[in-house]
Amino acid sequence: MNHNRLIFGLLILGCIIATSASWADTGTVDTEIAAAAKAGPAGLKELERSAIETIKSGAPRMEKDHACRILRVIGTKDSIDALGDLLADEELSHIARYALESMRYPEADKALRDALGKSSGQVKVGIINSLAMRGGTQNVSALLALLNDTDSEIADAAAWALGRIGSGRAVSALSGSYGSAPEKRKAAIADGLLNAAARLVVKGSLPEALAIYKQLQTADAPEHIRMGAFAGTIEAQPDKAQSMLIEAAASDDWKIRGMAIDMIVALEGEGVTERFSANLDKLDAETQVLMLGALVARDEKDALRPVITEAVSSSNGQMRELAIKSLGDIGDASSVQVLVDVIESGKSDEDKGLSTSSLRRLPGKSINGQIVKSMKTSSAEGRVKLIEILQDRDATEAVDELLIAASDKDADIRRAAFKALADLAGPEDQKALIRLLVNLKADAGRAEAERAVISVCRNLDEAAGAEPILAAMDSTTATKCSLLRVLGGIGNAMGFAVVRQGLEDRNPEVRDTAVRTLADWPDASAALSLLEVFQKTSNPTHRIVALRGCVRQLSLGTLASADTLGICGELMKGSDGPQEKKMVLAALAKSGEPGAIEIIEPLLADNDVRAEAELAMLGIIRNMTGPMPDEAKTAAQTLRNRSRNETIKKEVAAVIRLIDKFEDYIMAWQVSGPYSKPFADTFDTAFGPEEADADDVSWKTLPISKTGNRPWMFDLQAAIGGQGKAGYARTWVHCDAEQAARLEFGTDDGNKVWLNGKLVHANNAGGPATPGEHKVPVILQKGWNALLLKVTQDTGTWQFCFAIRKPNGGRLEGLGIQASEPTK
Amino acid sequence: MGQTKGEGLSRRSFLRGAGGMIALPTIISATALGSDGRPAASERIVMGTIGFGGRASGVMPAFMREDDVQMVAICDVKGNRRKLAQETVNRHYGNTDCDAYIDLRELLARDDIDAVLIATGDYWHSAAACLTARAGKDMYCEKPMSVTITEGRAVAETMKRYRRIFQCGTQRRNVSQFMFAANLVHKGLLGELKVVHAEKAPKWHDTYETLLPAEPEPHREVLDWDLWLGPAAWRPYNSKYASRQFWGGHLDFAGGSYTEWGSHTVDLCQWAAKKDDTSPVIYHLVDQDVEAYYEDGLKLILRGNIGRGSCAVRFEGTEGWIEVDDSGHIEVEPQSLQSKRKLGKGYPVDDHVRDFLNSFKSRRQPAAPAEGAHRSITACHAANICRRLGRTVKWDPAAEEFIGDEQANRMASRAYRQPWRL
């Protein structure tokens, strides 16, 4: 076995092994050439010699095939004779051409030409095709002889090849035979001629190209040949191109018309936009729009702007729409009033909408100033639109004008101005805004004014935000109520105290506002005050407003669990009827505490609320499943025994079955990710969760898989997804006393583990997550222990499982698990 | 080697900013409606589908959802796919009118067909496109448009020669989150563009030329092996070849991870950078990635692991950057550039299909014409050649050849098996 056959044999074996495993090998030809190249020119020469020897030998077909593939890349003149010998071989002709076609040696042409005389049928067609791809006038004579071959496939191939070469003789022969050729052959010749003409245009031989195009522009030629020829006549006559395209744009043939207009986009020369726009009105309505579209696409802004501006008032709806839209991209300050006029008195709602959109994006620094100027002469409705546009354009330079508009007698203008000011006003405008709010004489615009003041004050520190409001508090009832709502919107401690005082105000309107403001408080600070209102008020409306507000704030989940349960307990005690109890139950359903179940259990016997109580209890059980599976299971068994609802029973049974599969794995986690950075290694890069002070890290509950028998194998791909990413999981572990333990876990792929902020393990290996693959002895401190796990992923699955066991691997009892950060 | 470039007209594309959002009129009037509310039969675009694999099962129905399309014929070399395609069309129209072909030349010979969807294997795209143009039909051709640089050039020239409408199946040019990102670059909102990142597919990084053991060749009605191979080099039949999971990384049939996603992502980078008429001039292999530079210094990085979803791109300018992908998640800096409207996610094909049909009727260039598709896939092929040779390669985008690199130039083209030609 020669060298090449040995390599080939090994490769075949390797391929079989590789494909049976993964289908991927390392690229046989590439790797052989790379290996040979390492030995320098001598190595490559030896590889070539070996390949030549193979194709000359009696080796099987696919060994010779492989040798030709190598010669395609590294073959020299030395290989041409051997390759040429294969050209007439029906089985190996193609693979020999595979090697020869891209070799830049004249000897390769000769080998191919010589093979024409030794071949026939499709093999010969292939050789002609290779000569065509190589090009070169030296091959023309051989091909000319085949132009009238009795084998039509050979003759067609020769016509194509001659056209691709495109020499004078080739063109002359093709042109000469075109008229008298049978129909089928005509297409092949025309293809060759069009090909040749295009090459003549590139070379600058325009008259010769034009002659070809004119010959092909006969009425009986197929449409695509006529179109190609027509386009060619224009390209071959640049001095006449504009006139010809103007004429063609009015053609009766819709394809010629469309093609001509498309060609205008790329037409070179001066004054194109001016010339074609001057002829717009001679076209029919639909063609006008296409023409205008082509001129817009040319993007000659200065020449186009007057055309577009005129088209804004066209009677053709599509023309107007295109013009109005285009003006948003190419317009300047002078276009503002044009667009404003459309907004004011456009012919259709579509026009008005497009004009608004164009004005929003019209580029340029002076545009906002122009819009402000236009506002002064606009109708009330128009001013509202322009104010909204200024808001969308982030036109902070318009704030002074908006402050004036905010005291306009027209309510819609006031509302729009305050809305814009909420986005655009800065701290320096705080007092002016408060003044506007205080001076409001009607309620129209009050809500918007309040939101504007809130927006500005939220960007100030607590005192600066609240003090000017407190100073304005001694005012009319309406204003005082407004300012209380503003304090509620700001939501800081200073404002809270004032609103809380409002509960004692002598004025019932103020008291009412105070209750509602507390109910709407943005965080849970007002929950206790609302409980108090709920318990003490004699006003039934205030009672229900307070209850709703309190339940909402508890549902935010920001209060300590004990506080939440305490308030819920009190609310439940004070609840009068089923409706109130149901609201409290809704809040309790989000808890994950056994104490919540204690509050609910008595209600399981209350027919008025039993259904809601069961649902709430199911919710709590689900929330407890990961952190405290034993307690969850006990509660689930209780609910299963007491419920009469089959659906609830089924759901609870599913929870119990799930818990039974948990073993001793940690089942309560929060997850964050995915993370990656360009060019950075995900394993080594410290992303947000690793940074002590990172404040932009977002965590969410990591769901437990409810299918399969391994719910403890967490699927990060499903939870956060991605390829080549890092993800983090965290939880807290509670110990009654310091003790030794062992972390046992598996990850897919790499991992890092921190216990109480200290890195205790790192491993960047890939592969599937195997339970207990990693074992790390640790000391758990008394109280809460923070556990952070990083799992990186290359491709495919992305999983982990994690348990804390005794140092000897035995089950460790008595640990508390909590996925959210324990309250201090 | 006989290739010609350059045109009498500049290659400035029909910018889509002006006309794209407005429904431009079509030169064929679609106002004459038939009794079912669709355009009358005489006004519909009569279409055929060539190749009905996984991709066509998504794209062909998108065509049939358009009222002004009538799918009348399908072609596939695999019997089961041929049957499924035919049933799909007939079920859609509630008739039995769809004809099925094994050989694409028979479908293309039909005078009543105006346009075709080409969704064959990658290595068939260019040959099928050239045959389609020579048959006088327009086409929506799946990506990548070529498996060699020479093929792509031939397709672009053929489309121009016959003034055919060619829409490459790089539909992300018509998908909102990618349009938004490109628009930020076009409007200069990221400042001067400095670096563009294009994601390669996570699979098929290591391409192969594996020869599988011969198996008995199936009956032509089951799978026409000679037609399946088409212009690719002959090899004995093995059923695994016809699985996309296999041929997607096989160099006889595809270009692996670089062309699989690069045909989309490099294309998006070139589109954003307004470089639809060129390709990078130098390609360096950096670990597993390729870093390339355009003539003006813009850097293109073809790499994995960008974004949260598939086919991610990242555009970095002097004043900001944006990263988008199929997940719909958009990261942009400065944050003020974040879109105020909700953008989409995924990579739906419907708008791209509609864009092609509109171009068919108006004859204006669609969103992904042949020249742009060729130039972007050229960058992918050059990057692949750089990777396979394991060294830097230099590219001349005007002459369209590698500079002083005989091996690279030979890898830029390959002879078609007879009787196929470009």
Side-chain angles (χ1 to χ4, degrees):
Chain A
M1 186 177 280
N2 65 33
H3 166 74
N4 218 38
R5 293 184 72 170
L6 175 63
I7 289 176
F8 185 78
L10 289 170
L11 286 169
I12 291 289
L13 180 64
C15 289
I16 292 166
I17 293 167
T19 49
S20 64
S22 66
W23 281 348
D25 62 18
T26 50
T28 55
V29 172
D30 289 353
T31 45
E32 272 186 73
I33 292 172
K38 280 185 185 164
L44 289 171
K45 200 69 207 166
E46 174 55 25
L47 183 59
E48 183 188 19
R49 189 201 58 72
S50 175
I52 293 169
E53 192 181 313
T54 299
I55 59 178
K56 282 180 166 175
S57 72
R61 175 178 184 174
M62 295 317 290
E63 285 189 32
K64 293 188 178 185
D65 180 289
H66 181 75
C68 289
R69 287 167 183 268
I70 287 173
L71 292 174
R72 169 181 171 243
V73 182
I74 63 152
T76 68
K77 284 182 197 174
D78 296 345
S79 62
I80 290 175
D81 284 348
L83 288 166
D85 288 343
L86 301 181
L87 284 171
D89 183 318
E90 198 167 332
E91 287 192 342
L92 294 167
S93 179
H94 168 251
I95 207 68
R97 289 192 292 110
Y98 198 82
L100 283 170
E101 189 174 292
S102 55
M103 288 186 183
R104 300 187 184 211
Y105 306 117
E107 290 84 350
D109 287 308
K110 184 172 183 307
L112 287 161
R113 286 197 306 271
D114 289 349
L116 286 174
K118 302 172 197 164
S119 56
S120 61
Q122 293 207 343
V123 168
K124 195 164 187 170
V125 167
I127 294 167
I128 295 168
N129 290 345
S130 281
L131 286 168
M133 294 308 289
R134 293 176 61 77
T137 55
Q138 69 276 17
N139 298 319
V140 170
S141 296
L143 293 167
L144 282 175
L146 302 172
L147 193 53
N148 294 310
D149 199 280
T150 51
D151 183 333
S152 63
E153 283 197 46
I154 290 174
D156 287 355
W160 177 74
L162 288 166
R164 205 174 153 81
I165 295 168
S167 70
R169 281 180 69 208
V171 168
S172 177
L174 290 171
S175 291
S177 57
Y178 180 65
S180 58
E183 270 321 296
K184 207 175 165 198
R185 177 72 36 75
K186 265 192 171 175
I189 297 173
D191 185 64
L193 285 169
L194 280 174
N195 205 342
R199 283 157 216 275
L200 289 168
V201 169
V202 173
K203 282 197 288 187
S205 305
L206 300 184
E208 292 82 354
L210 183 60
I212 296 175
Y213 288 132
K214 284 190 171 171
Q215 184 183 10
L216 295 174
Q217 251 186 294
T218 54
D220 60 338
E223 174 225 72
H224 60 297
I225 292 172
R226 276 188 288 118
M227 286 183 71
F230 177 76
T233 57
I234 295 172
E235 287 188 322
Q237 302 177 91
D239 53 328
K240 295 182 183 170
Q242 292 194 20
S243 307
M244 291 176 73
L245 286 172
I246 285 172
E247 192 181 331
S251 166
D252 292 337
D253 183 329
W254 66 271
K255 280 196 174 175
I256 292 287
R257 206 158 70 227
M259 180 185 72
I261 292 172
D262 185 54
M263 290 179 77
I264 291 166
V265 178
L267 190 58
E268 289 176 345
E270 296 293 316
V272 173
T273 297
E274 289 90 335
R275 182 152 182 205
F276 282 88
S277 57
N279 282 280
L280 265 176
D281 56 358
K282 296 184 182 120
L283 302 171
D284 65 55
E286 288 197 346
T287 313
Q288 275 188 12
V289 183
L290 285 172
M291 178 67 83
L292 189 64
L295 297 179
V296 167
R298 287 186 62 81
D299 205 25
E300 293 169 317
K301 290 187 173 63
D302 290 341
L304 185 64
R305 205 172 291 119
V307 183
I308 289 290
T309 303
E310 191 182 333
V312 165
S313 51
S314 167
S315 58
N316 178 337
Q318 285 186 309
M319 190 87 158
R320 279 200 317 275
E321 288 181 17
L322 176 57
I324 294 167
K325 181 175 181 297
S326 303
L327 211 49
D329 296 315
I330 65 149
D332 59 11
S334 71
S335 310
V336 170
Q337 193 57 49
V338 176
L339 292 167
V340 170
D341 289 345
V342 176
I343 291 172
E344 288 274 21
S345 54
K347 289 190 171 80
S348 69
D349 288 344
E350 286 76 16
D351 286 4
K352 291 179 182 179
L354 281 173
S355 196
T356 302
S357 170
S358 282
L359 206 44
R360 278 195 189 110
R361 64 177 197 281
L362 195 59
K365 289 181 181 171
S366 61
I367 302 302
N368 291 340
Q370 282 297 326
I371 295 174
V372 168
K373 273 188 197 167
S374 291
M375 273 174 62
K376 296 181 195 304
T377 55
S378 293
S379 67
E381 195 181 344
R383 288 182 74 191
V384 169
K385 288 258 172 64
L386 295 181
I387 289 169
E388 288 167 355
I389 288 167
L390 287 167
Q391 182 182 0
D392 283 343
R393 291 179 63 92
D394 293 328
T396 50
E397 63 267 52
V399 165
D400 287 348
E401 192 64 29
L402 292 171
L403 287 168
I404 294 168
S407 57
D408 198 280
K409 61 180 185 300
D410 185 294
D412 289 337
I413 293 175
R414 286 203 303 275
R415 283 196 193 95
F418 278 123
K419 274 188 191 171
L421 286 164
D423 275 359
L424 304 177
E428 66 279 9
D429 304 310
Q430 182 199 32
K431 285 180 182 157
L433 278 170
I434 293 172
R435 205 161 42 243
L436 282 166
L437 176 59
V438 168
N439 291 338
L440 266 183
K441 293 193 169 49
D443 278 344
R446 184 174 293 283
E448 290 81 2
E450 289 168 9
R451 281 197 284 276
V453 176
I454 291 167
S455 173
V456 168
C457 292
R458 273 186 180 165
N459 291 323
L460 296 164
D461 65 38
E462 183 167 340
E467 279 171 358
I469 294 163
L470 302 183
M473 195 65 87
D474 186 14
S475 185
T476 63
T477 300
T479 300
K480 192 169 182 180
C481 290
S482 266
L483 295 175
L484 286 177
R485 284 190 290 271
V486 167
L487 290 170
I490 298 169
N492 63 28
M494 191 181 273
F496 178 76
V498 175
V499 177
R500 180 90 176 68
Q501 280 173 16
L503 293 173
E504 312 298 331
D505 201 283
R506 282 181 301 177
N507 185 326
E509 267 189 73
V510 174
R511 288 202 301 279
D512 183 73
T513 302
V515 171
R516 291 174 190 278
T517 301
L518 288 174
D520 290 338
W521 206 261
D523 60 27
S525 312
L528 271 173
S529 299
L530 290 166
L531 172 62
E532 201 178 321
V533 172
F534 174 74
Q535 289 172 325
K536 293 181 181 171
T537 186
S538 56
N539 182 325
T541 304
H542 286 176
R543 180 180 164 90
I544 197 73
V545 167
L547 177 57
R548 282 191 183 134
C550 191
V551 165
R552 180 186 62 78
Q553 289 177 26
L554 294 177
S555 300
L556 296 174
T558 52
L559 289 182
S561 299
D563 292 342
T564 301
L565 283 184
I567 294 172
C568 279
E570 290 301 314
L571 288 173
M572 193 61 87
K573 268 190 223 162
S575 295
D576 268 348
Q579 289 311 316
E580 289 183 354
K581 285 178 182 165
K582 286 176 185 176
M583 288 173 69
V584 183
L585 283 168
L588 284 166
K590 295 182 179 172
S591 171
E593 295 292 329
I597 289 179
E598 287 172 23
I599 298 173
I600 290 176
E601 269 195 281
L603 299 176
L604 295 176
D606 182 340
N607 282 340
D608 289 336
V609 296
R610 192 178 63 234
E612 289 78 8
E614 288 179 358
L615 273 175
M617 190 160 164
L618 178 60
I620 296 163
I621 289 168
R622 282 181 170 147
N623 293 337
M624 287 166 57
T625 303
M628 44 190 90
D630 294 341
E631 292 85 345
K633 189 172 176 181
T634 304
Q637 285 161 341
T638 303
L639 181 56
R640 186 174 59 182
N641 293 337
R642 295 191 57 183
S643 175
R644 284 176 245 159
N645 181 319
E646 285 308 313
T647 305
I648 293 280
K649 281 176 180 287
K650 276 185 193 167
E651 294 285 333
V652 170
V655 171
I656 293 170
R657 283 198 302 277
L658 182 68
I659 292 171
D660 285 342
K661 297 174 191 167
F662 283 179
E663 302 178 20
D664 61 343
Y665 287 94
I666 296 178
M667 298 301 295
W669 297 92
Q670 285 185 329
V671 66
S672 181
Y675 293 93
S676 66
K677 271 186 187 172
F679 316 119
D681 183 284
T682 50
F683 185 78
D684 293 330
T685 305
F687 297 104
E690 294 181 48
E691 306 286 351
D693 302 325
D695 55 4
D696 59 346
V697 177
S698 142
W699 294 93
K700 62 180 181 181
T701 301
L702 181 56
I704 297 168
S705 170
K706 293 182 174 57
T707 56
N709 288 321
R710 304 201 306 171
W712 36 264
M713 186 62 85
F714 285 90
D715 186 351
L716 292 171
Q717 192 62 261
I720 51 180
Q723 298 282 321
K725 304 287 183 186
Y728 294 83
R730 70 175 184 180
T731 195
W732 279 264
V733 182
H734 189 271
C735 275
D736 291 334
E738 180 179 295
Q739 61 178 311
R742 192 162 83 187
L743 312 180
E744 294 194 7
F745 55 98
T747 59
D748 175 358
D749 292 302
N751 64 62
K752 287 186 182 180
V753 182
W754 292 264
L755 183 63
N756 295 319
K758 186 182 170 193
L759 183 70
V760 295
H761 185 75
N763 188 312
N764 196 16
T770 306
E773 181 183 1
H774 306 282
K775 295 181 172 64
V776 183
V778 294
I779 301 295
L780 296 175
Q781 67 190 18
K782 181 182 178 185
W784 286 108
N785 292 267
L787 184 60
L788 176 65
L789 169 67
K790 175 181 188 175
V791 185
T792 59
Q793 191 251 9
D794 295 327
T795 55
T797 51
W798 191 10
Q799 298 177 321
F800 77 88
C801 58
F802 205 110
I804 300 180
R805 298 190 172 121
K806 288 180 178 175
N808 63 4
R811 189 168 185 133
L812 185 56
E813 305 286 356
L815 296 179
I817 304 293
Q818 181 171 311
S820 56
E821 187 166 8
T823 46
K824 290 169 185 168
Chain B
M1 300 293 286
Q3 291 182 354
T4 57
K5 269 73 60 178
E7 294 156 315
L9 302 176
S10 75
R11 287 205 176 106
R12 200 171 350 151
S13 59
F14 190 117
L15 296 179
R16 307 177 47 70
M21 302 301 286
I22 297 285
L24 286 172
T26 52
I27 289 188
I28 295 181
S29 168
T31 50
L33 294 179
S35 56
D36 56 356
R38 297 174 62 197
S42 60
E43 299 286 339
R44 291 178 208 157
I45 302 172
V46 180
M47 289 194 66
T49 293
I50 299 172
F52 192 73
R55 187 66 194 139
S57 15
V59 181
M60 188 177 81
F63 272 103
M64 293 194 294
R65 284 195 291 272
E66 299 294 327
D67 279 348
D68 52 353
V69 164
Q70 187 77 26
M71 195 67 69
V72 300
I74 60 87
C75 169
D76 201 293
V77 295
K78 288 184 183 173
N80 60 344
R81 301 302 303 182
R82 196 162 56 245
K83 182 165 179 280
L84 180 61
Q86 188 180 33
E87 287 170 355
T88 303
V89 175
N90 284 339
R91 193 166 50 246
H92 180 86
Y93 294 119
N95 59 29
T96 54
D97 294 349
C98 180
D99 292 317
Y101 300 93
I102 300 176
D103 189 329
L104 76 171
R105 290 168 294 194
E106 291 179 43
L107 183 150
L108 291 172
R110 279 179 58 160
D111 287 338
D112 63 326
I113 291 178
D114 300 312
V116 296
L117 160 64
I118 298 171
T120 57
D122 296 3
Y123 60 103
W124 249 115
H125 289 164
S126 291
C130 289
L131 280 169
T132 301
R134 281 201 283 269
K137 303 180 194 320
D138 294 327
M139 72 214 73
Y140 181 108
C141 179
E142 265 309 323
K143 46 64 59 177
M145 77 183 296
S146 64
V147 290
T148 68
I149 294 172
T150 303
E151 279 188 325
R153 169 45 60 208
V155 172
E157 285 183 355
T158 306
M159 297 309 133
K160 182 166 181 282
R161 193 185 310 149
Y162 291 112
R163 295 286 157 173
R164 293 301 90 190
I165 297 297
F166 175 98
Q167 173 88 300
C168 188
T170 47
Q171 78 280 8
R172 287 172 178 82
R173 285 193 179 210
N174 268 315
V175 170
S176 61
Q177 68 268 33
F178 296 100
M179 294 167 81
F180 172 74
N183 199 37
L184 289 189
V185 180
H186 291 165
K187 292 204 162 169
L189 296 174
L190 302 181
E192 186 189 350
L193 195 60
K194 289 293 187 186
V195 186
V196 289
H197 300 249
E199 190 171 30
K200 64 186 180 186
K203 58 186 173 185
W204 302 321
H205 177 81
D206 294 320
T207 49
Y208 40 89
E209 292 175 275
T210 307
L211 176 67
L212 298 173
E215 291 176 357
E217 202 170 310
H219 189 277
R220 180 175 186 249
E221 288 291 328
V222 176
L223 190 152
D224 188 321
W225 179 236
D226 185 64
L227 270 175
W228 189 89
L229 285 170
W234 183 87
R235 52 183 59 234
Y237 172 78
N238 182 295
S239 55
K240 274 184 187 165
Y241 286 124
S243 154
R244 177 164 156 68
Q245 284 305 314
F246 184 74
W247 67 251
H250 196 293
L251 285 171
D252 273 14
F253 312 116
S257 68
Y258 282 27
T259 58
E260 173 62 14
W261 281 10
S263 50
H264 283 294
T265 58
V266 171
D267 183 69
L268 290 166
C269 290
Q270 297 224 147
W271 178 46
K274 294 194 172 179
K275 293 192 182 297
D276 272 346
D277 59 354
T278 190
S279 309
V281 295
I282 188 162
Y283 299 77
H284 302 292
L285 188 61
V286 180
D287 297 326
Q288 294 287 298
D289 304 328
V290 168
E291 294 182 8
Y293 292 85
Y294 292 87
E295 201 159 19
D296 62 1
L298 176 67
K299 184 178 186 179
L300 164 74
I301 303 174
L302 193 48
R303 65 183 178 90
N305 307 328
I306 314 173
R308 294 185 181 181
S310 47
C311 283
V313 290
R314 181 184 168 94
F315 307 143
E316 296 175 355
T318 50
E319 292 169 28
W321 55 267
I322 183 164
E323 193 172 293
V324 291
D325 57 49
D326 292 340
S327 72
H329 178 73
I330 294 175
E331 286 188 41
V332 61
E333 189 64 42
Q335 290 286 315
S336 59
L337 294 178
Q338 188 67 258
S339 174
K340 288 182 181 171
R341 69 194 166 89
K342 187 167 171 55
L343 299 172
K345 62 179 181 179
Y347 44 95
V349 76
D350 295 67
D351 288 348
H352 207 52
V353 161
R354 188 63 250 169
D355 180 62
F356 166 72
L357 298 172
N358 288 345
S359 286
F360 175 92
K361 293 179 170 185
S362 69
R363 311 313 294 173
R364 71 176 168 82
Q365 290 298 305
E371 181 68 28
H374 162 60
R375 294 293 188 163
S376 56
I377 201 65
T378 291
C380 302
H381 293 323
N384 241 346
I385 289 169
C386 166
R387 175 186 65 80
R388 290 174 59 196
L389 289 173
R391 56 176 160 75
T392 295
V393 293
K394 292 179 183 171
W395 175 250
D396 178 345
E400 291 201 299
E401 60 182 22
F402 291 99
I403 300 169
D405 197 327
E406 179 64 15
Q407 286 186 355
N409 277 319
R410 290 192 186 183
M411 293 162 85
S413 71
R414 64 186 185 211
Y416 269 22
R417 195 164 64 95
Q418 60 271 17
W420 308 105
R421 60 172 166 267
L422 285 164

